[in-house]
Coordinates of all heavy atoms in Angstrom, one line a residue:
Chain A
H7 N 5.5 8.5 11.7 CA 6.3 8.5 13.0 C 5.3 8.1 14.1 O 4.2 8.6 14.2 CB 6.9 9.9 13.2 CG 7.6 10.0 14.5 ND1 8.9 9.5 14.7 CD2 7.2 10.4 15.7 CE1 9.2 9.7 15.9 NE2 8.2 10.3 16.6
P8 N 5.7 7.2 15.0 CA 7.0 6.5 15.0 C 6.9 5.3 14.0 O 5.9 5.0 13.5 CB 7.1 6.0 16.4 CG 5.6 5.8 16.8 CD 4.9 6.9 16.1
S9 N 8.0 4.7 13.8 CA 8.0 3.5 13.0 C 7.7 2.2 13.8 O 7.1 1.3 13.3 CB 9.4 3.2 12.3 OG 10.4 3.2 13.4
R10 N 8.0 2.3 15.1 CA 7.6 1.2 16.0 C 7.2 1.8 17.3 O 7.8 2.8 17.8 CB 8.8 0.3 16.3 CG 9.2 -0.6 15.1 CD 10.4 -1.4 15.5 NE 10.9 -2.2 14.4 CZ 10.4 -3.4 14.1 NH1 9.5 -3.9 14.8 NH2 10.8 -4.1 13.0
V11 N 6.1 1.2 17.9 CA 5.7 1.7 19.3 C 5.2 0.5 20.0 O 4.4 -0.3 19.5 CB 4.7 2.9 19.2 CG1 3.5 2.5 18.3 CG2 4.3 3.4 20.5
I12 N 5.6 0.5 21.3 CA 5.1 -0.6 22.2 C 4.4 0.2 23.4 O 5.0 1.1 23.9 CB 6.2 -1.4 22.8 CG1 6.9 -2.1 21.6 CG2 5.7 -2.4 23.7 CD1 8.2 -2.9 22.0
C13 N 3.2 -0.2 23.7 CA 2.5 0.5 24.7 C 1.8 -0.5 25.6 O 1.6 -1.7 25.2 CB 1.5 1.5 24.2 SG 0.1 0.8 23.3
K14 N 1.3 0.0 26.7 CA 0.6 -0.9 27.7 C -0.9 -0.8 27.3 O -1.4 0.2 26.8 CB 0.8 -0.4 29.1 CG 2.2 -0.7 29.6 CD 2.3 -0.3 31.1 CE 3.6 -0.5 31.7 NZ 3.8 -0.1 33.1
S15 N -1.6 -1.9 27.6 CA -3.0 -1.9 27.4 C -3.7 -0.8 28.1 O -3.4 -0.5 29.3 CB -3.6 -3.2 27.8 OG -4.9 -3.4 27.5
G16 N -4.6 -0.1 27.4 CA -5.4 1.0 28.1 C -4.8 2.4 27.8 O -5.5 3.4 28.0
T17 N -3.6 2.4 27.2 CA -3.1 3.7 26.9 C -3.4 4.1 25.4 O -4.0 3.3 24.7 CB -1.5 3.8 27.0 OG1 -1.0 2.8 26.1 CG2 -1.1 3.4 28.4
S18 N -3.2 5.4 25.1 CA -3.5 5.9 23.7 C -2.2 6.1 23.0 O -1.2 6.5 23.6 CB -4.3 7.2 23.8 OG -5.6 6.9 24.3
V19 N -2.2 5.8 21.7 CA -1.0 6.0 20.9 C -1.3 6.8 19.7 O -2.4 6.6 19.0 CB -0.5 4.6 20.4 CG1 0.7 4.8 19.4 CG2 -0.1 3.8 21.6
K20 N -0.5 7.8 19.4 CA -0.7 8.7 18.2 C 0.3 8.3 17.2 O 1.5 8.3 17.4 CB -0.6 10.1 18.6 CG -0.9 11.1 17.4 CD -0.7 12.5 17.8 CE -1.8 13.1 18.5 NZ -1.7 14.6 18.7
I21 N -0.1 8.2 15.9 CA 0.7 7.9 14.8 C 0.6 9.1 13.8 O -0.6 9.4 13.4 CB 0.4 6.6 14.1 CG1 0.5 5.4 15.1 CG2 1.3 6.3 12.9 CD1 -0.1 4.1 14.5
E22 N 1.7 9.6 13.4 CA 1.7 10.7 12.5 C 2.0 10.3 11.0 O 2.8 9.5 10.8 CB 2.7 11.8 12.9 CG 2.3 12.5 14.1 CD 3.3 13.7 14.4 OE1 4.3 13.8 13.7 OE2 3.0 14.5 15.3
C23 N 1.3 10.9 10.1 CA 1.6 10.7 8.7 C 1.8 12.0 8.0 O 0.9 12.9 8.1 CB 0.4 10.0 8.0 SG 0.5 9.7 6.3
R24 N 2.9 12.2 7.4 CA 3.3 13.5 6.8 C 3.6 13.4 5.3 O 4.4 12.5 5.0 CB 4.4 14.2 7.5 CG 4.2 14.6 8.9 CD 5.4 15.3 9.6 NE 5.1 15.7 10.9 CZ 4.6 16.8 11.3 NH1 4.2 17.7 10.5 NH2 4.4 17.0 12.6
S25 N 3.1 14.3 4.5 CA 3.6 14.4 3.1 C 4.7 15.4 3.2 O 4.4 16.6 3.6 CB 2.4 14.7 2.2 OG 1.8 16.0 2.6
L26 N 5.8 15.0 2.7 CA 7.0 15.9 2.9 C 7.2 17.0 1.8 O 7.7 18.0 2.1 CB 8.3 15.1 3.0 CG 8.3 14.1 4.2 CD1 9.6 13.4 4.3 CD2 8.0 14.8 5.5
D27 N 6.7 16.7 0.6 CA 7.0 17.6 -0.4 C 5.8 17.9 -1.4 O 6.0 18.3 -2.5 CB 8.2 17.2 -1.2 CG 8.1 15.7 -1.7 OD1 7.0 15.1 -1.4 OD2 9.0 15.2 -2.3
F28 N 4.6 17.6 -0.9 CA 3.5 17.9 -1.7 C 2.3 18.1 -0.7 O 2.3 17.7 0.5 CB 3.2 16.8 -2.7 CG 2.7 15.5 -2.1 CD1 1.3 15.2 -2.1 CD2 3.6 14.6 -1.6 CE1 0.9 13.9 -1.6 CE2 3.2 13.4 -1.0 CZ 1.8 13.1 -1.0
Q29 N 1.3 18.7 -1.2 CA 0.1 18.9 -0.4 C -0.9 17.8 -0.6 O -1.3 17.5 -1.7 CB -0.6 20.2 -0.7 CG 0.3 21.4 -0.4 CD -0.4 22.7 -0.6 OE1 -1.2 22.9 -1.5 NE2 -0.1 23.7 0.3
A30 N -1.2 17.1 0.5 CA -2.1 15.9 0.4 C -3.5 16.3 0.8 O -3.8 16.5 2.0 CB -1.5 14.8 1.4
T31 N -4.3 16.4 -0.2 CA -5.7 16.8 0.1 C -6.4 15.6 0.7 O -7.4 15.8 1.4 CB -6.4 17.2 -1.2 OG1 -6.3 16.2 -2.2 CG2 -5.8 18.5 -1.7
T32 N -6.0 14.4 0.4 CA -6.6 13.2 0.9 C -5.6 12.3 1.5 O -4.5 12.0 0.8 CB -7.4 12.5 -0.2 OG1 -8.3 13.4 -0.8 CG2 -8.2 11.3 0.4
M33 N -5.8 11.8 2.7 CA -5.0 10.8 3.2 C -5.8 9.5 3.6 O -6.9 9.7 4.0 CB -4.2 11.3 4.5 CG -3.1 12.3 4.1 SD -2.1 12.8 5.5 CE -0.7 13.5 4.7
F34 N -5.1 8.4 3.5 CA -5.8 7.2 3.8 C -5.0 6.4 5.0 O -3.8 6.5 5.0 CB -5.8 6.3 2.6 CG -6.4 6.9 1.3 CD1 -5.5 7.7 0.5 CD2 -7.7 6.7 1.0 CE1 -6.0 8.3 -0.6 CE2 -8.2 7.3 -0.1 CZ -7.4 8.1 -1.0
W35 N -5.8 5.7 5.8 CA -5.2 4.9 6.8 C -5.6 3.5 6.6 O -6.8 3.2 6.4 CB -5.6 5.4 8.2 CG -5.0 6.6 8.6 CD1 -5.4 7.9 8.5 CD2 -3.6 6.8 9.2 NE1 -4.5 8.8 9.0 CE2 -3.4 8.2 9.4 CE3 -2.6 5.9 9.6 CZ2 -2.2 8.6 10.0 CZ3 -1.5 6.3 10.1 CH2 -1.3 7.7 10.3
Y36 N -4.5 2.6 6.6 CA -4.7 1.2 6.4 C -4.2 0.4 7.6 O -3.3 0.9 8.3 CB -4.0 0.7 5.1 CG -4.4 1.3 3.8 CD1 -3.8 2.5 3.4 CD2 -5.3 0.7 3.1 CE1 -4.1 3.0 2.2 CE2 -5.7 1.3 1.8 CZ -5.1 2.4 1.4 OH -5.5 3.0 0.2
R37 N -4.7 -0.8 7.7 CA -4.2 -1.7 8.7 C -3.9 -3.0 8.0 O -4.7 -3.5 7.2 CB -5.3 -2.0 9.8 CG -4.8 -2.9 10.9 CD -5.9 -2.9 12.0 NE -5.5 -3.9 13.0 CZ -6.2 -4.1 14.1 NH1 -7.3 -3.4 14.3 NH2 -5.8 -5.1 15.0
Q38 N -2.7 -3.5 8.2 CA -2.3 -4.7 7.5 C -2.6 -5.9 8.4 O -2.3 -6.0 9.6 CB -0.8 -4.7 7.2 CG -0.3 -5.8 6.4 CD 1.1 -5.8 6.0 OE1 1.9 -5.5 6.9 NE2 1.4 -6.0 4.8
F39 N -3.2 -6.9 7.7 CA -3.5 -8.2 8.4 C -2.6 -9.3 7.8 O -2.0 -9.1 6.8 CB -5.0 -8.5 8.1 CG -5.9 -7.6 9.0 CD1 -6.5 -6.5 8.5 CD2 -6.2 -8.0 10.3 CE1 -7.3 -5.7 9.3 CE2 -7.0 -7.2 11.1 CZ -7.6 -6.0 10.6
P40 N -2.7 -10.4 8.4 CA -2.0 -11.6 7.9 C -2.4 -11.8 6.4 O -3.4 -11.5 6.0 CB -2.4 -12.8 8.8 CG -2.7 -12.1 10.1 CD -3.3 -10.8 9.7
K41 N -1.5 -12.4 5.7 CA -1.6 -12.6 4.2 C -1.4 -11.3 3.5 O -1.7 -11.1 2.3 CB -3.0 -13.2 3.9 CG -3.2 -14.6 4.4 CD -4.5 -15.2 3.8 CE -4.6 -16.6 4.3 NZ -5.8 -17.3 3.8
K42 N -0.9 -10.3 4.3 CA -0.3 -9.1 3.7 C -1.3 -8.1 3.1 O -0.9 -7.0 2.7 CB 0.7 -9.4 2.6 CG 1.8 -10.4 3.0 CD 2.7 -10.7 1.9 CE 3.8 -11.7 2.4 NZ 3.2 -13.0 2.5
S43 N -2.6 -8.4 3.0 CA -3.5 -7.4 2.4 C -3.7 -6.2 3.4 O -3.6 -6.4 4.6 CB -4.8 -8.0 2.1 OG -4.7 -8.7 0.9
L44 N -4.0 -5.1 2.9 CA -4.2 -3.9 3.7 C -5.7 -3.6 3.7 O -6.4 -3.5 2.7 CB -3.5 -2.7 3.1 CG -2.0 -2.9 2.9 CD1 -1.4 -1.6 2.2 CD2 -1.3 -3.1 4.2
M45 N -6.2 -3.4 4.9 CA -7.6 -3.0 5.1 C -7.7 -1.5 5.2 O -7.0 -0.9 6.1 CB -8.2 -3.7 6.4 CG -9.6 -3.3 6.6 SD -10.2 -3.7 8.2 CE -9.6 -2.3 9.1
L46 N -8.5 -0.9 4.4 CA -8.7 0.5 4.5 C -9.5 0.8 5.7 O -10.6 0.3 5.9 CB -9.4 1.1 3.2 CG -9.8 2.5 3.2 CD1 -8.5 3.4 3.2 CD2 -10.6 2.9 2.0
M47 N -9.0 1.7 6.6 CA -9.7 2.0 7.8 C -10.6 3.3 7.6 O -11.7 3.3 8.0 CB -8.7 2.3 8.9 CG -7.9 1.0 9.3 SD -6.7 1.5 10.5 CE -7.7 1.8 12.0
A48 N -9.9 4.3 7.0 CA -10.6 5.6 6.9 C -9.9 6.4 5.8 O -8.8 6.2 5.5 CB -10.7 6.3 8.2
T49 N -10.7 7.3 5.3 CA -10.2 8.3 4.4 C -10.4 9.7 5.0 O -11.5 10.0 5.5 CB -11.0 8.3 3.0 OG1 -10.9 6.9 2.5 CG2 -10.5 9.3 2.0
S50 N -9.4 10.5 4.9 CA -9.5 11.8 5.5 C -9.2 12.9 4.5 O -8.2 12.8 3.8 CB -8.7 12.0 6.8 OG -7.3 12.1 6.5
N51 N -10.0 13.9 4.5 CA -9.7 15.1 3.7 C -9.4 16.3 4.6 O -10.0 16.4 5.7 CB -10.9 15.4 2.8 CG -11.2 14.4 1.8 OD1 -10.3 14.2 0.9 ND2 -12.2 13.6 1.9
E52 N -8.5 17.1 4.2 CA -8.0 18.2 5.0 C -9.2 19.1 5.4 O -10.0 19.5 4.6 CB -6.9 19.0 4.3 CG -6.3 20.1 5.1 CD -7.0 21.4 4.9 OE1 -7.6 21.6 3.8 OE2 -6.8 22.3 5.8
G53 N -9.3 19.3 6.7 CA -10.3 20.2 7.2 C -11.7 19.6 7.4 O -12.6 20.4 7.8
S54 N -11.8 18.4 7.1 CA -13.1 17.8 7.3 C -13.0 16.5 8.1 O -11.9 15.9 8.2 CB -13.9 17.6 6.0 OG -13.1 16.7 5.2
K55 N -14.1 16.0 8.5 CA -14.1 14.7 9.3 C -13.7 13.5 8.4 O -14.1 13.5 7.2 CB -15.5 14.5 9.9 CG -15.8 15.5 11.1 CD -17.1 15.1 11.7 CE -17.4 16.0 12.9 NZ -18.7 15.7 13.6
A56 N -13.1 12.6 9.0 CA -12.7 11.4 8.3 C -13.9 10.5 8.0 O -14.9 10.5 8.7 CB -11.7 10.6 9.1
T57 N -13.8 9.8 6.9 CA -14.9 8.9 6.5 C -14.4 7.5 6.9 O -13.3 7.0 6.3 CB -15.2 8.9 5.0 OG1 -15.6 10.2 4.7 CG2 -16.3 7.9 4.7
Y58 N -15.1 6.8 7.8 CA -14.6 5.5 8.3 C -15.3 4.4 7.5 O -16.4 4.5 7.1 CB -14.9 5.4 9.8 CG -14.1 6.2 10.7 CD1 -14.4 7.6 10.8 CD2 -12.9 5.7 11.3 CE1 -13.6 8.4 11.6 CE2 -12.2 6.5 12.1 CZ -12.5 7.9 12.3 OH -11.7 8.6 13.1
E59 N -14.5 3.3 7.3 CA -15.1 2.1 6.7 C -15.9 1.4 7.7 O -15.8 1.5 8.9 CB -14.0 1.3 6.1 CG -13.1 1.9 5.1 CD -14.0 2.4 3.9 OE1 -14.6 1.5 3.3 OE2 -13.9 3.5 3.5
Q60 N -16.8 0.6 7.1 CA -17.7 -0.2 7.9 C -16.9 -1.1 8.9 O -16.0 -1.7 8.4 CB -18.7 -1.0 7.1 CG -19.9 -1.6 7.8 CD -20.9 -2.2 6.8 OE1 -20.6 -2.4 5.6 NE2 -22.0 -2.6 7.3
G61 N -17.3 -1.1 10.1 CA -16.7 -2.0 11.1 C -15.5 -1.3 11.8 O -15.0 -1.9 12.7
V62 N -15.1 -0.1 11.4 CA -14.0 0.6 12.1 C -14.6 1.5 13.1 O -15.4 2.4 12.7 CB -13.1 1.3 11.0 CG1 -12.0 2.1 11.8 CG2 -12.6 0.4 10.0
E63 N -14.2 1.4 14.3 CA -14.8 2.2 15.4 C -14.1 3.6 15.4 O -12.9 3.8 15.7 CB -14.5 1.6 16.7 CG -15.1 0.2 16.9 CD -14.7 -0.3 18.3 OE1 -15.0 0.3 19.3 OE2 -14.0 -1.4 18.3
K64 N -14.9 4.6 15.0 CA -14.3 5.9 14.9 C -14.0 6.6 16.2 O -13.1 7.5 16.3 CB -15.3 6.9 14.1 CG -16.7 7.0 14.7 CD -17.5 7.9 13.8 CE -18.9 8.1 14.3 NZ -19.8 8.8 13.4
D65 N -14.6 6.1 17.3 CA -14.2 6.6 18.6 C -13.0 6.0 19.1 O -12.3 6.5 20.1 CB -15.4 6.4 19.6 CG -16.6 7.2 19.3 OD1 -16.4 8.3 18.7 OD2 -17.7 6.7 19.6
K66 N -12.6 4.8 18.6 CA -11.4 4.2 19.0 C -10.2 4.6 18.1 O -9.1 4.8 18.6 CB -11.6 2.7 18.9 CG -10.3 1.9 19.3 CD -10.6 0.4 19.4 CE -9.4 -0.3 20.0 NZ -9.0 0.3 21.3
F67 N -10.4 4.8 16.9 CA -9.4 5.2 15.9 C -9.7 6.6 15.5 O -10.4 6.9 14.5 CB -9.3 4.3 14.7 CG -9.0 2.8 15.1 CD1 -10.0 1.9 15.2 CD2 -7.6 2.5 15.3 CE1 -9.7 0.6 15.5 CE2 -7.3 1.1 15.7 CZ -8.4 0.2 15.8
L68 N -9.1 7.6 16.2 CA -9.4 9.0 16.0 C -8.4 9.5 14.9 O -7.2 9.3 15.0 CB -9.2 9.8 17.2 CG -10.1 9.4 18.4 CD1 -9.7 10.3 19.6 CD2 -11.5 9.6 18.0
I69 N -9.0 10.1 13.8 CA -8.2 10.6 12.7 C -8.4 12.0 12.6 O -9.5 12.6 12.6 CB -8.6 9.8 11.4 CG1 -8.1 8.4 11.5 CG2 -7.9 10.5 10.2 CD1 -8.6 7.5 10.4
N70 N -7.3 12.7 12.5 CA -7.3 14.2 12.4 C -6.4 14.6 11.2 O -5.3 14.1 11.0 CB -6.8 14.8 13.6 CG -6.9 16.4 13.6 OD1 -6.1 17.0 12.9 ND2 -7.8 16.9 14.3
H71 N -7.0 15.3 10.3 CA -6.2 15.8 9.1 C -6.2 17.3 9.2 O -6.9 18.0 8.5 CB -7.0 15.3 7.8 CG -6.1 15.4 6.6 ND1 -6.4 14.7 5.4 CD2 -5.1 16.2 6.3 CE1 -5.6 15.0 4.5 NE2 -4.7 15.9 5.0
A72 N -5.3 17.8 10.1 CA -5.3 19.2 10.4 C -4.8 20.1 9.4 O -5.1 21.3 9.3 CB -4.5 19.4 11.7
S73 N -3.9 19.6 8.5 CA -3.3 20.4 7.5 C -3.1 19.6 6.2 O -3.3 18.4 6.2 CB -1.9 21.0 8.0 OG -0.9 20.0 7.9
L74 N -2.6 20.3 5.2 CA -2.5 19.6 3.9 C -1.2 18.7 3.9 O -1.0 18.0 2.9 CB -2.4 20.6 2.8 CG -3.7 21.2 2.4 CD1 -3.5 22.4 1.4 CD2 -4.6 20.2 1.7

Side-chain angles (χ1 to χ4, degrees):
Chain A
H7 179 79
S9 57
R10 291 177 181 273
V11 57
I12 301 172
C13 69
K14 291 183 178 179
S15 187
T17 60
S18 294
V19 175
K20 180 185 283 188
I21 303 170
E22 292 186 349
C23 176
R24 292 182 184 272
S25 58
L26 299 185
D27 51 3
F28 70 101
Q29 294 187 326
T31 53
T32 307
M33 285 186 167
F34 307 85
W35 285 95
Y36 298 90
R37 180 174 176 175
Q38 186 177 46
F39 285 94
K41 297 190 179 180
K42 306 181 182 71
S43 285
L44 303 179
M45 181 196 80
L46 178 65
M47 298 175 67
T49 302
S50 73
N51 292 294
E52 185 266 339
S54 61
K55 289 184 178 181
T57 302
Y58 288 81
E59 296 301 305
Q60 193 171 10
V62 178
E63 299 176 61
K64 58 183 178 184
D65 293 331
K66 180 168 186 59
F67 298 99
L68 300 178
I69 291 172
N70 184 285
H71 193 160
S73 75
L74 284 170

